[in-house]
């Protein structure tokens, strides 16, 4: 039997990369990255968190698309593996959205999920 390792992945859509780049430019700090976290709580059990950071910690994973960087910690990546970070603008407003194949259900607002 051979050992097969699969690399965990988080994809970033073009629209998310563009929006992150715009926000970083507005902050005036070119080294900033979007930090995506998953924590306990929210309507469905887990919730997504978004903030900007300029540090990569020892247990972080860095993903890049079109020069835009997103960082997430190892535990969060376990729950985000295979997900797509997107930025959507519609009649309801504009927001980052996570299309997460690991989520068995999510709340109506899309900010929390259950596995």
């Amino acid at each position: 039997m051979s050992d097969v390792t699969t690399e965990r992945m988080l994809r970033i859509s073009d629209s998310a990369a563009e929006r992150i780049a715009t926000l970083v430019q507005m902050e005036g700090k070119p080294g900033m990255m979007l930090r995506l976290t998953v924590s306990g709580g929210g309507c469905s059990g887990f919730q997504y968190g978004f903030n900007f950071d300029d540090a990569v910690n020892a247990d972080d994973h860095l993903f890049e698309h079109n020069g835009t960087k997103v960082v997430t910690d190892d535990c969060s990546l376990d729950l985000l593996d295979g997900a797509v970070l997107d930025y959507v603008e519609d009649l309801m407003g504009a927001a980052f959205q996570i299309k997460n194949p690991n989520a068995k259900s999510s709340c109506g607002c899309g900010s929390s999920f259950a596995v």
Side-chain angles (χ1 to χ4, degrees):
M1 183 185 325
S2 65
D3 287 339
V4 177
T5 58
T6 57
E7 186 174 337
R8 294 175 295 166
M9 182 57 71
L10 172 67
R11 293 187 311 130
I12 306 162
S13 73
D14 290 341
S15 61
E18 289 172 18
R19 183 61 181 161
I20 294 165
T22 299
L23 292 171
V24 167
Q25 184 178 16
M26 289 170 53
E27 286 289 319
K29 297 178 182 176
M32 299 297 276
M33 303 165 280
L34 181 71
R35 179 171 289 280
L36 174 57
T37 57
V38 176
S39 60
C43 320
S44 299
F46 292 100
Q47 63 186 2
Y48 301 113
F50 303 92
N51 60 12
F52 283 98
D53 201 343
D54 60 359
V56 177
N57 301 318
D59 70 333
D60 283 342
H61 298 268
L62 182 65
F63 299 94
E64 189 171 345
H65 180 66
N66 293 342
T68 300
K69 296 178 181 178
V70 176
V71 64
T72 189
D73 63 89
D74 196 56
C75 290
S76 294
L77 186 56
D78 284 341
L79 297 166
L80 291 167
D81 185 27
V84 177
L85 171 63
D86 197 9
Y87 182 75
V88 178
E89 295 182 57
D90 59 22
L91 293 175
M92 299 300 289
F96 286 106
Q97 292 182 353
I98 307 292
K99 297 172 183 166
N100 189 344
N102 304 303
K104 302 297 183 220
S105 64
S106 64
C107 66
C109 66
S111 64
S112 68
F113 67 99
V115 290

